C-alpha cells in the first residue's frame, strides 16, 4: 500500500515549457534537473539543497543524464553535439570537448546495468560508445515517417530483452504510435502499437508496468484503465482488457501517468471540480485510489517523473504553478481489513490535517437474516463477545465495531472488557490505539493493559505520525518510550514496539534534539542501548543461520579435534 506524503517545492522554474527534464543522479536521493537550455542543477531531495550546478552558452537540446557504467555526465548541444564530464572535477561546459554528429540527435537514455543508448530523430538507435566512432559517417535511412515526430523515449525490458520505447506523433493525421525497437536486433524483432481512439472515448495517457511480464496501461477520457500484455498478439489486442475506472481525476483535460510499482500507477491531472490539480496513486490490483494529494495549480501540459528504486520509498516530481514539486511516497504492508470504506474516504476532500473517518454505512445482506439495531450495540457486562459475534454476523466490519463499542468501553474504563475487546478484534484504527496508549499510561490503569495496546500492530503511516504529534505531548511520549524500553529489555523484540518507538521519536524529534533536560537525554540513551543490544543478538543469530539450516536438513557437522591422537611427540633440539 502506497501513501503520498505532503508535497514541497524543490525549485522555481524559468518557464515550465522550457524545462527539459529530470533524471536520476549518481548519488541516491539526488536528481539532475535541466531547468532550461543553458542551466543544469543537481539537487538533494531530502533537504532541497543545491549540490552543484553548471551553465553553458551553447543551448542544450535534451536532459543531461548520468552514465552509470562510465561514471560520467552526458549532455547534448544543438541536437548534434555530445559532451562528457566527470563529477569529481569543477568543469565549465563551455570548455568541454564536443563530439559532433552528422545526424540529428533526439536524446540519450541510460540505465544502471546497461551502456547509454543514443536515439536519433530519424528513429534509429545505437550504443553511444559504438556510434562515437562512426559519428561522421553518411546519414542512414529514415526509420520513422517524415511526418512523425518523437515525443518521448524510455528503456523497457520485455521478455528478458531490452527495448527502446518511442512515442511518436504523426503531424499530418494527429495520430500517436508506440515503437518498440530492440537493442539487440539480431535476437528479437521490433514491433509497434497504434494508440487508436475508441468510438466512445479517446486515450489520455499511458505507461508501461514491468514485472513478471510487461503490460501497456492506457488511461482513457471516460475514466477507464485498460491493460494489454506486451508484445501484442495482434493489432486487435489493443487496448486490452478493462482493469479499473478512475473518477478522482478530470480526464477531459490532459493528464500524465507513470508506473510506481508492479500493481500501482501515479496519475497527475486536473481536479474533478476544475479547481487545482490532483495527484493520486491508483492500485490496479484492487481497483481503488491508495492515496490522493491535492495541488493548488494545474499545469495544462502535465509532466511527471518518478525516481528511486522499485520496491522502496520513491519520489514523484511534477510541474505545478511555475515550480518543480516533490511528493515523497511511502510503501507499507497492505492490510485487507483497512480497505473497507476506502472508496468513500477517497471521494472526500483530502488535506494535510488529520480527521476521523465518517461512520460507515450498515449493509443489508441478501442471505443474512441477522440485523443489528441500537439496543444490540449497547455493551452489557459479560456479553461483549456475544455482541461482537452478532455484529460480525450482520456484516459489520471491525472498523465499524470499533466506532460503536470502543469509545463507550474507554469512557467506562472497564479494563477487563477492554482487554477482551483487544483480543477479539483483528483490526483497530491507529487513532483509537494512540488514544488508548495516552489514557492507559495513567497510573490508574495496570501496566498489562498498556502493554497489550503497545503490542497491537500499527499501520504506522504518515497519518499515524500526524496523530501522535497532535495527541501525544512530549512528557507522555517520554513515558511511553521508557515503558517500551522496559518491555524490550524484559521480553523478545516485537515489531509493533519498534513501530511505536519510531512514531514517538519522529513525532517530537526537534524537541529531542534541542532539549537539554536530563530526562530526555537519559530516555534517548536507554532506547539507543536496548536497540544496540538487540542488534547484537540478531548478529549472533545470523552467524548460527548456516548451522541451523544444515541441522534442519539432518546434516551434523563434527569439527575435527586439533589435539593429536598420539600420546607423545618427538622433536630434535640442537644444543651446540
Amino acid at each position: 500500500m502506497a501513501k503520498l506524503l505532503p508535497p514541497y517545492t524543490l525549485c522555481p522554474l524559468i518557464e515550465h515549457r522550457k524545462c527539459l527534464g529530470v533524471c536520476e543522479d549518481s548519488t541516491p536521493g539526488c536528481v539532475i534537473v535541466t531547468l532550461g537550455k543553458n542551466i543544469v542543477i543537481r539537487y538533494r531531495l531530502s533537504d532541497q539543497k543545491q549540490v552543484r550546478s553548471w551553465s553553458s552558452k551553447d543551448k542544450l537540446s535534451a536532459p543531461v543524464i548520468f552514465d552509470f557504467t562510465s561514471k560520467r555526465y552526458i549532455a547534448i548541444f544543438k541536437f548534434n553535439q555530445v559532451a562528457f564530464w566527470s563529477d569529481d572535477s569543477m568543469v565549465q561546459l563551455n570548455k568541454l570537448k564536443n563530439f559532433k554528429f552528422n545526424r540529428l540527435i533526439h536524446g540519450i537514455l541510460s540505465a544502471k546495468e546497461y551502456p547509454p543508448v543514443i536515439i536519433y530523430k530519424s528513429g534509429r538507435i545505437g550504443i553511444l560508445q559504438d556510434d562515437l566512432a562512426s559519428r561522421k559517417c553518411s546519414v542512414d535511412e529514415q526509420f520513422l515517417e517524415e511526418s512523425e515526430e518523437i515525443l518521448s523515449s524510455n528503456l523497457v525490458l520485455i521478455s528478458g530483452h531490452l527495448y527502446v520505447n518511442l512515442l511518436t506523433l504523426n503531424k499530418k493525421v494527429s495520430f500517436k504510435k508506440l515503437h518498440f525497437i530492440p537493442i539487440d536486433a539480431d535476437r528479437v524483432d521490433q514491433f509497434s502499437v497504434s494508440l487508436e481512439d475508441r468510438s466512445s472515448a479517446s486515450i489520455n495517457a499511458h505507461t508501461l508496468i514491468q514485472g513478471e511480464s510487461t503490460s501497456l496501461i492506457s488511461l482513457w477520457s471516460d475514466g477507464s484503465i485498460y491493460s494489454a500484455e506486451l508484445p501484442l498478439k495482434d493489432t486487435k489486442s489493443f487496448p486490452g482488457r478493462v482493469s479499473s475506472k478512475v473518477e478522482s481525476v478530470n480526464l477531459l483535460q490532459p493528464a500524465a501517468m507513470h508506473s510506481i510499482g508492479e500493481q500501482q500507477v501515479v496519475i497527475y491531472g486536473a481536479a474533478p471540480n476544475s479547481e487545482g490539480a490532483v495527484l493520486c496513486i491508483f492500485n490496479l490490483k484492487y481497483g481503488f485510489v491508495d492515496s490522493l494529494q491535492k495541488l493548488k495549480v494545474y499545469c495544462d501540459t502535465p509532466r511527471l517523473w518518478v525516481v528511486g528504486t522499485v520496491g522502496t520509498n520513491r519520489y514523484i516530481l511534477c510541474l505545478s504553478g511555475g515550480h518543480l514539486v516533490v511528493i515523497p511516497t511511502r510503501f507499507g504492508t497492505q492490510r485487507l481489513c483497512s480497505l473497507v470504506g476506502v472508496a468513500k474516504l477517497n471521494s472526500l476532500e483530502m488535506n494535510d490535517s488529520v480527521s476521523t473517518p465518517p461512520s460507515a454505512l450498515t449493509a443489508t445482506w441478501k442471505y443474512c437474516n441477522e440485523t443489528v439495531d441500537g439496543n444490540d450495540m449497547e455493551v452489557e457486562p459479560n456479553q461483549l463477545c456475544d455482541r461482537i459475534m452478532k455484529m460480525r454476523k450482520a456484516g459489520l466490519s471491525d472498523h465499524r465495531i470499533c466506532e460503536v463499542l470502543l469509545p463507550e468501553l474507554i469512557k467506562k474504563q472497564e479494563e477487563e472488557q477492554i482487554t477482551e475487546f483487544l483480543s477479539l478484534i483483528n483490526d483497530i484504527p491507529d487513532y483509537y490505539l494512540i488514544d488508548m496508549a495516552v489514557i492507559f499510561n495513567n497510573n490508574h490503569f495496570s501496566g498489562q493493559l498498556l502493554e497489550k495496546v503497545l503490542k497491537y500492530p500499527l499501520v504506522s503511516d504518515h497519518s499515524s505520525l500526524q496523530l501522535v504529534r497532535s495527541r501525544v505531548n512530549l512528557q507522555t511520549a517520554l513515558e511511553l518510550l521508557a515503558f517500551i524500553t522496559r518491555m524490550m529489555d524484559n521480553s523478545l523484540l516485537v515489531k509493533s514496539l519498534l513501530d511505536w518507538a519510531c512514531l514517538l521519536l519522529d513525532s517530537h524529534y526537534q524537541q529531542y534534539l534541542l532539549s537539554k533536560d536530563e530526562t530526555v537525554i537519559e530516555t534517548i540513551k536507554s532506547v539507543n542501548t536496548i536497540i544496540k543490544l538487540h542488534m547484537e543478538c540478531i548478529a549472533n543469530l545470523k552467524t548460527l543461520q548456516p548451522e541451523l539450516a544444515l541441522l534442519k536438513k539432518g546434516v551434523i557437522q563434527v569439527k575435527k579435534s586439533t589435539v593429536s591422537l598420539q600420546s607423545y611427540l618427538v622433536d630434535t633440539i640442537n644444543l651446540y
Side-chain angles (χ1 to χ4, degrees):
M1 185 175 184
K3 289 290 183 182
L4 292 172
L5 304 187
Y8 57 85
T9 299
L10 183 64
C11 63
L13 299 174
I14 302 171
E15 186 181 344
H16 72 275
R17 296 183 187 275
K18 292 184 178 180
C19 179
L20 294 182
V22 178
C23 296
E24 289 201 52
D25 189 42
S26 57
T27 306
C30 294
V31 292
I32 311 166
V33 181
T34 310
L35 276 178
K37 295 184 177 181
N38 301 96
I39 185 168
V40 183
I41 303 178
R42 286 181 61 199
Y43 282 102
R44 188 163 50 237
L45 296 176
S46 58
D47 54 9
Q48 303 96 58
K49 285 188 177 181
Q50 179 178 315
V51 180
R52 189 164 295 175
S53 64
W54 301 278
S55 62
S56 171
K57 293 181 181 179
D58 295 333
K59 290 185 177 181
L60 293 160
S61 56
V64 173
I65 67 163
F66 182 79
D67 178 11
F68 293 92
T69 57
S70 63
K71 309 297 182 185
R72 295 184 301 177
Y73 292 95
I74 307 176
I76 302 174
F77 297 97
K78 301 178 181 179
F79 294 103
N80 64 348
Q81 298 177 22
V82 177
F84 305 86
W85 73 93
S86 58
D87 182 31
D88 55 359
S89 60
M90 298 296 294
V91 299
Q92 296 182 9
L93 300 188
N94 297 322
K95 297 181 179 180
L96 293 175
K97 179 182 178 181
N98 292 346
F99 297 87
K100 191 173 183 179
F101 285 69
N102 284 345
R103 293 167 283 183
L104 294 180
I105 303 171
H106 167 75
I108 298 176
L109 300 177
S110 176
K112 292 185 178 180
E113 298 86 6
Y114 302 97
V117 179
I118 186 170
I119 303 168
Y120 301 99
K121 284 188 171 293
S122 63
R124 294 293 176 183
I125 67 169
I127 303 299
L128 176 60
Q129 196 63 33
D130 298 338
D131 283 19
L132 279 174
S134 59
R135 64 185 183 275
K136 295 183 179 180
C137 296
S138 58
V139 179
D140 56 2
E141 60 181 6
Q142 183 85 9
F143 173 75
L144 302 175
E145 297 180 10
E146 292 184 359
S147 58
E148 275 189 290
E149 178 188 3
I150 300 177
L151 300 180
S152 64
S153 59
N154 64 291
L155 294 173
V156 59
L157 200 65
I158 302 176
S159 302
H161 301 285
L162 188 65
Y163 288 78
V164 172
N165 171 32
L166 300 179
L167 173 64
T168 62
L169 172 65
N170 194 316
K171 295 181 180 180
K172 290 184 178 180
V173 293
S174 298
F175 181 76
K176 290 183 179 180
K177 199 172 186 179
L178 285 175
H179 298 274
F180 294 88
I181 308 171
I183 302 296
D184 189 356
D186 297 332
R187 300 182 63 184
V188 286
D189 298 327
Q190 63 190 31
F191 63 94
S192 302
V193 178
S194 299
L195 302 181
E196 299 178 356
D197 294 338
R198 308 197 319 268
S199 58
S200 58
S202 59
I203 187 168
N204 193 316
H206 75 280
T207 188
L208 298 170
I209 289 185
Q210 302 180 59
E212 295 181 359
S213 61
T214 303
S215 300
L216 172 60
I217 309 298
S218 55
L219 180 63
W220 297 75
S221 58
D222 60 355
S224 301
I225 294 182
Y226 284 79
S227 175
E229 187 174 341
L230 295 178
L232 299 179
K233 295 180 180 179
D234 51 62
T235 56
K236 296 182 180 180
S237 300
F238 181 81
R241 61 181 180 84
V242 180
S243 175
S244 309
K245 193 160 187 176
V246 178
E247 298 179 351
S248 54
V249 182
N250 181 7
L251 295 175
L252 297 178
Q253 300 292 332
M257 182 167 61
H258 200 291
S259 63
I260 200 171
E262 293 187 8
Q263 297 290 344
Q264 292 148 322
V265 294
V266 55
I267 304 173
Y268 171 52
N273 56 4
S274 300
E275 295 181 2
V278 168
L279 186 80
C280 66
I281 295 180
F282 193 84
N283 194 312
L284 298 173
K285 183 177 181 180
Y286 297 110
F288 64 83
V289 175
D290 266 349
S291 184
L292 183 143
Q293 183 69 53
K294 294 192 70 176
L295 301 174
K296 293 182 179 179
V297 182
Y298 166 70
C299 180
D300 56 356
T301 54
R303 299 175 68 186
L304 198 62
W305 300 272
V306 177
V307 297
T309 308
V310 177
T312 62
N313 298 331
R314 310 178 77 182
Y315 292 93
I316 301 170
L317 295 92
C318 65
L319 305 183
S320 177
H323 294 83
L324 184 61
V325 178
V326 180
I327 304 96
T329 63
R330 178 175 294 176
F331 288 85
T333 305
Q334 182 70 66
R335 296 169 64 187
L336 294 179
C337 291
S338 63
L339 301 183
V340 178
V342 70
K344 184 176 180 180
L345 292 177
N346 286 324
S347 63
L348 302 176
E349 182 178 356
M350 297 291 182
N351 51 37
D352 292 340
S353 60
V354 178
S355 58
T356 303
S359 300
L361 298 177
T362 304
T364 302
W365 302 99
K366 180 178 179 181
Y367 300 104
C368 181
N369 297 323
E370 295 288 340
T371 58
V372 180
D373 55 23
N375 296 328
D376 291 333
M377 293 183 181
E378 294 180 359
V379 181
E380 298 180 7
N382 302 323
Q383 295 184 355
L384 178 62
C385 181
D386 296 335
R387 298 299 179 213
I388 293 176
M389 293 299 107
K390 191 172 184 179
M391 293 168 76
R392 280 180 171 170
K393 192 175 181 180
L396 296 183
S397 65
D398 283 2
H399 273 238
R400 179 59 177 156
I401 296 174
C402 289
E403 291 175 3
V404 174
L405 299 181
L406 195 53
E408 185 179 352
L409 293 175
I410 296 175
K411 185 178 180 180
K412 291 182 178 180
Q413 298 184 358
E414 296 284 348
E415 289 194 38
E416 293 183 1
Q417 289 196 352
I418 293 174
T419 303
E420 184 182 3
F421 185 87
L422 292 175
S423 61
L424 292 173
I425 298 298
N426 298 321
D427 184 61
I428 300 177
D430 282 5
Y431 51 87
Y432 282 127
L433 293 173
I434 293 168
D435 286 345
M436 286 191 290
V438 174
I439 296 171
F440 299 157
N441 185 50
N442 192 328
N443 294 330
H444 175 71
F445 293 92
S446 64
Q448 293 181 352
L449 189 55
L450 178 59
E451 186 175 330
K452 193 171 185 64
V453 171
L454 294 177
K455 286 184 176 180
Y456 206 92
L458 281 164
V459 175
S460 189
D461 57 6
H462 179 68
S463 62
S464 304
L465 183 60
Q466 295 283 31
L467 285 167
V468 174
R469 284 175 179 166
S470 61
R471 302 189 183 190
V472 182
N473 57 38
L474 180 61
Q475 182 61 34
T476 306
L478 291 173
E479 293 174 359
L480 290 174
L481 278 174
F483 191 86
I484 290 171
T485 304
R486 292 194 295 271
M487 289 180 63
M488 290 181 178
D489 193 21
N490 298 330
S491 61
L492 295 174
L493 188 62
V494 183
K495 181 181 180 297
S496 61
L497 295 180
L498 291 176
D499 293 337
W500 274 103
C502 290
L503 280 176
L504 294 170
L505 290 172
D506 292 342
S507 60
H508 300 84
Y509 72 95
Q510 287 184 338
Q511 293 170 282
Y512 297 142
L513 291 175
L514 300 176
S515 177
K516 296 182 180 180
D517 186 17
E518 290 295 330
T519 305
V520 176
I521 296 173
E522 290 300 323
T523 303
I524 300 300
K525 284 184 176 179
S526 62
V527 174
N528 183 42
T529 302
I530 195 65
I531 292 297
K532 283 185 176 180
L533 180 62
H534 281 285
M535 289 179 67
E536 290 176 1
C537 294
I538 292 173
N540 293 333
L541 289 174
K542 191 175 181 180
T543 58
L544 294 175
Q545 185 178 2
E547 296 183 14
L548 293 175
L550 291 174
L551 187 61
K552 187 177 180 180
K553 294 178 181 178
V555 179
I556 301 177
Q557 286 186 335
V558 180
K559 294 184 178 180
K560 296 181 179 180
S561 176
T562 57
V563 180
S564 176
L565 298 177
Q566 297 178 353
S567 58
Y568 62 91
L569 181 67
V570 177
D571 197 2
T572 303
I573 300 176
N574 297 324
L575 298 179
Y576 302 101

